[in-house]
Amino acid sequence: MENNYPQKAGLEQILKAAFFYWNKTLFYQLAFSLLYFSLFFLGYFYLFRYFGLWDELNQHRELLQTDFPAFNKKVEEIARLPQAQGFILGIFFLFGILNPLNVGFYKIYRKIDLKEKVVMNDLFAGYLGFTFFKFFGFYLFWTIIFSYANALFLLGFVWIFITLFSVPLMFFMNVNTFQGIKLTISGLKKDFTTIFIAVIIGILFSLSGLILFGFGFLLTFPFWHAIIYTLYQHLFKENA
C-alpha cells in the first residue's frame, strides 16, 4: 500500500463537500443517532444497576433535596468504591461495542461518490466479520487513552487530532491502529491550519443541534463524520 497526497483543497471547498454528504444522508444520520443514543443509555443504566451503584446512590436520595453539598460528598465516596471502577471499565467496553457504528458513514459516503445505491445495512459496515473486532479494539483503545489524556490540560484534544483519520484509513486502506496514527500525523503536517479550522467548524455545527431543544442534535451530531471523510478525501490517495 502506497500513500500519496493530492492537491490541497481550500476550506470553502471542503465545507461545501462535507455539507453535501451531510445533506444527502439525513435519514441515515437520524437512524444512527436514535440507535446509538438509545443503546448507549440502555447500556449505561444497565451497568449502573449491575454494579450496584443505583442502590448505593438511592440510599442518599433525601440529601438531594435537603443538603446538596452533602449529597455531592456521598457521590464522591461512591465514585471511589471498587464497583465504580468496574462500572467505568464497563463504559469503556460499551463505547467499544457501539462506536463501530460510526464506520458505516464512511461506506455510505464512498457509495455516494461511486453513485451506488445506499441501503440501511451500509450503516452496519463496522460490524461485519473481523471488521467488528478490528474497530472494537481501536475504539476501546481510543476511549481508554482519551479518558486519561482528557484529565490533563489539552492532551485529550491532541489525541483527537492525531487519530482524526484513523478510522477511514483503517477502513479504506486496511492499516492497523498505529499505522493509522502515523499516517494521520503525516496528513496533519500537510495543511494543519485548514484541517484545524474545518474540524472546529465541524464540532460547532455538530453541537449546534442542541440549540433546537436538543432534538436537532440527532441530525447535526453525525456531521463530524462528513468533515473527517471530506478531509480524508483531500489528503489521502488510496493505492493498492
Side-chain angles (χ1 to χ4, degrees), residues 105-132:
F105 278 112
Y106 300 107
K107 181 174 183 179
I108 289 172
Y109 298 148
R110 178 55 55 87
K111 291 185 78 171
I112 290 174
D113 288 340
L114 298 174
K115 300 187 183 335
E116 295 178 359
K117 183 179 180 181
V118 177
V119 296
M120 182 60 76
N121 283 346
D122 293 331
L123 199 58
F124 303 97
Y127 291 92
L128 300 178
F130 178 75
T131 301
F132 167 72

Side-chain angles (χ1 to χ4, degrees), residues 69-134:
F71 178 78
N72 277 338
K73 186 175 181 180
K74 291 295 182 182
V75 170
E76 292 174 3
E77 293 174 1
I78 292 172
R80 291 192 291 268
L81 293 174
Q83 53 264 46
Q85 303 307 311
F87 169 74
I88 292 173
L89 183 60
I91 292 297
F92 289 162
F93 275 88
L94 179 61
F95 275 119
I97 292 170
L98 291 180
N99 280 333
L101 194 62
N102 296 317
V103 178
F105 278 112
Y106 300 107
K107 181 174 183 179
I108 289 172
Y109 298 148
R110 178 55 55 87
K111 291 185 78 171
I112 290 174
D113 288 340
L114 298 174
K115 300 187 183 335
E116 295 178 359
K117 183 179 180 181
V118 177
V119 296
M120 182 60 76
N121 283 346
D122 293 331
L123 199 58
F124 303 97
Y127 291 92
L128 300 178
F130 178 75
T131 301
F132 167 72
F133 297 100
K134 180 178 181 177

Side-chain angles (χ1 to χ4, degrees), residues 5-6 8 184-193 195 235:
Y5 294 91
K8 296 178 185 177
T184 296
I185 293 173
S186 297
L188 291 173
K189 292 177 181 178
K190 294 294 177 178
D191 193 6
F192 181 76
T193 301
I195 296 170
L235 288 171

Side-chain angles (χ1 to χ4, degrees), residues 82-239:
Q83 53 264 46
Q85 303 307 311
F87 169 74
I88 292 173
L89 183 60
I91 292 297
F92 289 162
F93 275 88
L94 179 61
F95 275 119
I97 292 170
L98 291 180
N99 280 333
L101 194 62
N102 296 317
V103 178
F105 278 112
Y106 300 107
K107 181 174 183 179
I108 289 172
Y109 298 148
R110 178 55 55 87
K111 291 185 78 171
I112 290 174
D113 288 340
L114 298 174
K115 300 187 183 335
E116 295 178 359
K117 183 179 180 181
V118 177
V119 296
M120 182 60 76
N121 283 346
D122 293 331
L123 199 58
F124 303 97
Y127 291 92
L128 300 178
F130 178 75
T131 301
F132 167 72
F133 297 100
K134 180 178 181 177
F135 286 104
F136 168 79
F138 168 77
Y139 280 115
L140 180 60
F141 170 71
W142 190 96
T143 303
I144 292 172
I145 297 298
F146 178 76
S147 67
Y148 286 103
N150 202 41
L152 301 173
F153 185 65
L154 290 181
L155 283 186
F157 202 60
V158 172
W159 180 240
I160 290 174
F161 268 91
I162 66 174
T163 57
L164 192 63
F165 304 115
S166 291
V167 173
L169 283 166
M170 292 169 66
F171 185 64
F172 293 121
M173 296 191 185
N174 198 32
V175 300
N176 61 38
T177 296
F178 298 104
Q179 289 173 324
I181 292 173
K182 182 179 178 181
L183 289 171
T184 296
I185 293 173
S186 297
L188 291 173
K189 292 177 181 178
K190 294 294 177 178
D191 193 6
F192 181 76
T193 301
T194 300
I195 296 170
F196 180 81
I197 296 172
V199 166
I200 295 301
I201 292 174
I203 292 174
L204 292 176
F205 185 80
S206 294
L207 297 176
S208 67
L210 293 171
I211 299 174
L212 302 175
F213 306 103
F215 179 77
F217 184 64
L218 298 177
L219 290 174
T220 60
F221 172 66
F223 180 74
W224 169 252
H225 304 298
I227 281 286
I228 293 175
Y229 178 78
T230 304
L231 289 168
Y232 166 82
Q233 287 285 82
H234 287 294
L235 288 171
F236 300 95
K237 182 178 180 181
E238 299 154 18
N239 290 320

